Amino acid sequence: MRNRRFNGVVLLAISSWALCGFTFLDDVARRVEKGNQHFDQAEFEAALEAYRSAQTDRPDAPELHYNVGDALYKQGAIDEAMAAFQKAVETGDSDLGSRAYYNLGNALYRQQAFDKAVESYEKSLELNPSDRDAKVNLEMA
């Protein structure tokens, strides 16, 4: 079962400032991008550090909770990852919520909490009925 990182956080962290027709990334977006680079290179501790650094300025950003959860999951900190994914599902954004429920299901599956994993995959599919990975994982759970 593979987790999914939410790359859209960079877009969500972009400042809306415009100067001379240019849009500039703010410091949070730069830290998230750095975290994404570390994550892509399987440097999960460095990715986690960058995501948590970004959280100091945007502590309630559900996208950052999601990315923190993903980095924690990759490090085997399943309970902490589950708490972060749970914060991410509270967003109201169907794409992020679907991905967070999917990853929460993976964490629950890994802990052999199959009934709860099934619930998470079902919630993921409610938000994104065409997600094939969630359908496969649901069947496995």
Side-chain angles (χ1 to χ4, degrees):
M1 293 187 189
R2 63 186 178 113
N3 273 29
R4 301 181 189 141
R5 190 177 72 256
F6 187 69
N7 290 321
V9 74
V10 173
L11 297 176
L12 296 171
I14 294 176
S15 294
S16 59
W17 324 326
L19 180 62
C20 300
F22 295 101
T23 302
F24 294 92
L25 294 176
D26 66 12
D27 191 46
V28 172
R30 281 191 288 277
R31 286 180 271 170
V32 170
E33 181 58 29
K34 189 68 166 170
N36 289 346
Q37 290 170 1
H38 286 299
F39 193 97
D40 290 341
Q41 295 172 1
E43 298 168 349
F44 303 119
E45 182 62 38
L48 178 61
E49 184 178 315
Y51 296 144
R52 285 193 167 152
S53 174
Q55 277 185 316
T56 61
D57 291 327
R58 301 231 175 115
D60 297 325
E63 301 84 2
L64 291 173
H65 289 295
Y66 180 92
N67 282 358
V68 164
D70 211 13
L72 287 165
Y73 182 91
K74 292 293 189 178
Q75 293 180 35
I78 303 303
D79 290 332
E80 290 178 75
M82 288 174 29
F85 291 140
Q86 190 60 50
K87 287 180 182 179
V89 300
E90 299 167 2
T91 176
D93 176 282
S94 62
D95 184 46
L96 179 61
S98 173
R99 291 169 183 256
Y101 275 122
Y102 174 89
N103 284 354
L104 184 57
N106 287 350
L108 290 162
Y109 186 92
R110 190 166 171 185
Q111 291 188 324
Q112 299 183 359
F114 301 118
D115 290 341
K116 291 180 181 181
V118 164
E119 290 175 19
S120 290
Y121 294 134
E122 287 174 342
K123 289 178 182 178
S124 175
L125 286 166
E126 286 175 18
L127 297 171
N128 182 4
S130 63
D131 186 336
R132 290 182 189 190
D133 290 335
K135 289 176 185 178
V136 169
N137 288 4
L138 176 61
E139 290 295 320
M140 288 175 52

